[in-house]
């Protein structure tokens, strides 16, 4: 039997005696004891040792300083030495039968020195305390791994950790002063902690949060995982939940999925509270509880140090992704994508007559490619080769590049007022994002690449509004909006002729859906009088606030 097995058995025995052992841990203990005679013998020795010292424990605890190195027990023993009566050596039969010598008489009259007796007592007491300390001292066990950290900084330099570091129990509390860290317990429980926070790894299925914010995602294997705060114990039953604890002993529990139980002490009685997904509860220092609003974006739920991603559950901004960002407003504004080559650039092309070839974009992780639809030949809309079979016939002309979040008046030329706005609301800043896709342009997003940043979450919907911006040009408009998933139409509106009006778009996204494509087309006014063809230049198609909803 190796050392690791000994430590595991020791930990499981302690949990069994404390009544905190889980069913899975009890099964593991039974397996170890039944499979190896050495394990069985060590198990028996642990039990014997526990009961041997359980008798000494109450006596020492009664003094209130049983385990303290500076205990006054030794001082009391020393005082006893100064006041204890002498101990005479008893006479025996042999000495009575003989005439005692002067030396013997002197020895009889002498009393035994109290110093040797005191030495024995002190040694025994010290040995007992050492044994009790060794037995009761928690054994440090590796139970989790630090898997990622973004801008993390700890209070003590010697507490600095890097991804891959193993986390131990029986360690002092750790203070995180900046950033976010992610742990993965060995039982597949993921925990994210955001600074400022103080936490302590308690066991293989428990963590203590003295203050700060914590988010936990618990798999079936980790059911029963618990979080302790100053006044509450939260036990998970297979959920996603967030915990906030402050320095005034207030605890907030926000349950996003599944269910939990929270245990709090109220007036010397224990109160158990069941909280299910979509609910939130506050427990104050006195143990009183009240319902509160669920704060979906108050807890960091995913991080990625490679892209500096810190996600709090918000929807992902596609305009930001066009600009090279990760969907969380990290992208650059006024980024253009050339539909003739697929390259991202700062300069704009005007009125380019192109083939309908699909151009992949290797420079952008999330934008798969771009194209100019013409409807005359088979229209490819993804790098996988998905086909837009219902693509209408267009002029095949791209009036300008695709651009995300344009600056105010960036399109101003001559009589044209160049600001994108609807109902007096200007679009283009991070608070009101938009993608300007003057007909004819199609752009495709790689949903799998986006999912790669959020492996434990699902993309459930695409939501946006669409309309033709009124740049105060004197010509009419006529355009179409299309939303495709893997080349199949999920939304379309044809011959849209109203400027400055937005329409709602909501498209469900399934787990197996790979590519999301946005397309704008002109109205096909190629056979009408020349004056009316000017409408093609007025088809300033815009997708406002385009987002992917994550659950």
């Amino acid at each position: 039997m190796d050392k690791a097995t000994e430590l595991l058995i020791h930990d499981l025995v302690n949990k069994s005696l404390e009544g905190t052992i889980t069913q899975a841990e009890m099964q593991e203990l039974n397996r170890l004891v039944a499979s190896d005679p050495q394990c069985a013998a060590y198990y028996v020795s642990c039990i014997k040792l526990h009961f041997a010292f359980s008798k000494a424990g109450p006596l020492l605890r009664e003094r209130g300083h049983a385990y303290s190195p500076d205990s006054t027990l030794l001082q009391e023993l020393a005082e006893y030495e100064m006041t204890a009566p002498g101990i005479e050596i008893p006479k025996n039969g042999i000495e009575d039968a003989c005439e005692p010598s002067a030396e013997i008489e002197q020895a009889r009259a002498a009393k035994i020195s109290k110093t040797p007796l005191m030495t024995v007592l002190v040694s025994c007491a010290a040995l007992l305390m050492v044994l009790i300390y060794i037995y009761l001292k928690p054994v440090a066990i590796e139970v989790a791994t630090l898997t990622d950290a973004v801008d993390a900084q700890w209070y003590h330099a010697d507490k600095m950790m890097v991804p891959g570091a193993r986390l131990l129990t029986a360690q002092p509390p750790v203070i995180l002063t900046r950033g976010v860290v992610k742990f993965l317990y060995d039982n597949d429980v993921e925990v994210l902690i955001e600074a400022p926070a103080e936490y302590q790894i308690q066991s293989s299925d428990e963590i203590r949060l003295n203050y700060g914010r914590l988010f936990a995602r618990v798999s079936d294997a980790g059911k029963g995982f618990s979080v302790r705060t100053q006044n509450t114990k939260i036990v998970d039953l297979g959920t996603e939940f967030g915990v906030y604890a402050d320095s005034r002993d207030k605890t907030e529990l926000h349950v996003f999925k599944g269910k939990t139980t929270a245990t709090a002490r109220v007036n010397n009685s224990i109160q158990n509270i069941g909280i299910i997904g979509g609910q939130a509860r506050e427990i104050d220092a006195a143990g009183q509880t009240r319902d509160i609003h669920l704060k979906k974006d108050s807890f960091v739920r995913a991080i990625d140090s490679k892209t500096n991603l810190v996600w709090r559950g918000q929807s992902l901004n596609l305009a930001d992704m066009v600009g090279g960002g990760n969907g969380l407003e990290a992208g650059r504004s006024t980024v253009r994508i050339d539909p003739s080559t697929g390259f991202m650039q700062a300069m704009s092309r005007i009125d380019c007559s192109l083939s309908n070839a699909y151009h992949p974009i290797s420079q952008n992780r999330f934008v798969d490619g771009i194209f100019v639809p013409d409807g005359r030949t088979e229209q490819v809309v993804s790098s996988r080769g998905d086909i837009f079979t219902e693509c209408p016939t267009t002029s095949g002309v791209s009036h300008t590049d695709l651009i995300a979040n344009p600056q105010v008046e960036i399109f101003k030329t001559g009589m044209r007022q160049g600001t994108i706005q609807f109902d007096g609301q200007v679009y283009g800043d991070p608070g009101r994002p938009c993608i300007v896709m003057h007909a004819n342009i199609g752009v495709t997003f790689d949903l799998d690449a986006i999912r790669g940043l959020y492996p434990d979450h699902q993309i459930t919907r695409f939501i946006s509004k669409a309309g033709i911006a009124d740049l105060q040009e004197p010509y009419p408009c006529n355009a179409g909006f299309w939303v495709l998933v893997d080349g199949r139409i999920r939304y379309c509106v044809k011959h849209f002729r109203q400027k400055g009006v937005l329409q709602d778009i909501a498209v469900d996204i399934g787990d197996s859906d790979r590519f999301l494509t946005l397309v704008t087309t002109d109205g096909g006014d190629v056979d009408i009088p020349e004056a009316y063809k000017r409408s093609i230049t007025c088809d300033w198609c815009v997708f406002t606030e385009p987002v992917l909803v994550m659950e």
Side-chain angles (χ1 to χ4, degrees), residues 196-506:
E198 181 179 283
Y199 61 90
Q200 186 176 29
I201 306 295
Q202 298 281 75
S203 70
S204 60
D205 58 2
E206 183 173 290
I207 188 170
R208 183 177 184 86
L209 182 68
N210 291 331
Y211 63 85
R213 293 183 184 276
L214 176 151
F215 174 80
R217 181 178 298 108
V218 183
S219 66
D220 289 341
K223 284 184 179 180
F225 180 81
S226 60
V227 177
R228 286 186 182 269
T229 65
Q230 298 288 2
N231 65 335
T232 308
K233 179 179 180 180
I234 298 156
V235 179
D236 167 81
L237 302 175
T239 63
E240 290 184 6
F241 65 94
V243 178
Y244 168 70
D246 68 12
S247 57
R248 296 170 296 178
D249 294 347
K250 181 185 76 174
T251 298
E252 291 183 10
L253 172 58
H254 300 257
V255 182
F256 302 106
K257 294 181 181 179
K259 57 184 177 180
T260 65
T261 59
T263 302
R265 181 177 293 277
V266 182
N267 298 326
N268 295 322
S269 64
I270 300 298
Q271 181 179 13
N272 293 315
I273 310 156
I275 305 173
I276 62 175
Q279 295 181 344
R281 193 71 61 92
E282 178 188 280
I283 302 99
D284 64 20
Q288 301 294 329
T289 67
R290 68 183 184 93
D291 292 332
I292 58 176
H293 178 67
L294 181 71
K295 301 174 182 176
K296 290 187 176 181
D297 58 355
S298 290
F299 298 90
V300 176
R301 297 160 70 177
I303 63 174
D304 185 347
S305 56
K306 295 179 181 178
T307 60
N308 211 35
L309 169 75
V310 177
W311 181 62
R312 300 178 182 276
Q314 66 267 48
S315 297
L316 305 182
N317 180 351
L318 292 185
D320 180 69
M321 290 185 176
V322 168
N326 56 23
L328 302 176
E329 301 180 7
R332 293 170 292 141
S333 182
T334 67
V335 168
R336 297 173 179 269
I337 302 181
D338 183 352
S340 66
T341 64
F343 291 109
M344 301 174 69
Q345 59 177 23
M347 301 301 292
S348 175
R349 289 179 179 269
I350 302 294
D351 290 341
C352 293
S353 214
L354 305 167
S355 70
N356 67 340
Y358 184 80
H359 299 284
I361 301 178
S362 59
Q363 301 96 324
N364 193 308
R365 179 178 178 181
F366 306 115
V367 179
D368 184 68
I370 193 169
F371 58 95
V372 175
D374 66 14
R376 293 178 175 83
T377 57
E378 190 174 65
Q379 184 61 63
V380 177
V381 296
S382 75
S383 58
R384 187 175 63 184
D386 295 296
I387 305 298
F388 179 17
T389 57
E390 297 89 349
C391 182
T393 301
T394 75
S395 65
V397 174
S398 169
H399 183 65
T400 187
D401 295 334
L402 179 149
I403 184 169
N405 294 333
Q407 296 173 346
V408 174
E409 296 188 347
I410 194 172
F411 301 116
K412 186 174 183 178
T413 56
M415 68 180 71
R416 181 190 301 153
Q417 183 276 114
T419 299
I420 302 297
Q421 57 184 329
F422 293 90
D423 292 329
Q425 174 64 56
V426 176
Y427 288 84
D429 60 37
R432 294 284 183 176
C434 69
I435 304 174
V436 179
M437 299 174 56
H438 192 294
N440 300 282
I441 290 181
V443 62
T444 297
F445 296 88
D446 187 340
L447 298 177
D448 277 359
I450 298 170
R451 291 185 182 106
L453 282 183
Y454 311 90
D456 299 303
H457 296 83
Q458 296 174 306
I459 301 173
T460 59
R461 282 173 296 161
F462 165 70
I463 296 177
S464 182
K465 293 179 183 292
I468 300 176
D470 185 2
L471 301 185
Q472 297 182 357
E473 293 172 307
Y475 307 110
C477 59
N478 182 13
F481 293 86
W482 312 76
V483 179
L484 316 176
V485 175
D486 294 340
R488 297 183 296 274
I489 298 174
R490 296 288 183 86
Y491 168 89
C492 77
V493 58
K494 303 176 184 179
H495 303 296
F496 195 78
R497 301 175 186 270
Q498 224 175 343
K499 296 180 182 180
V501 177
L502 290 173
Q503 302 182 87
D504 292 326
I505 301 175

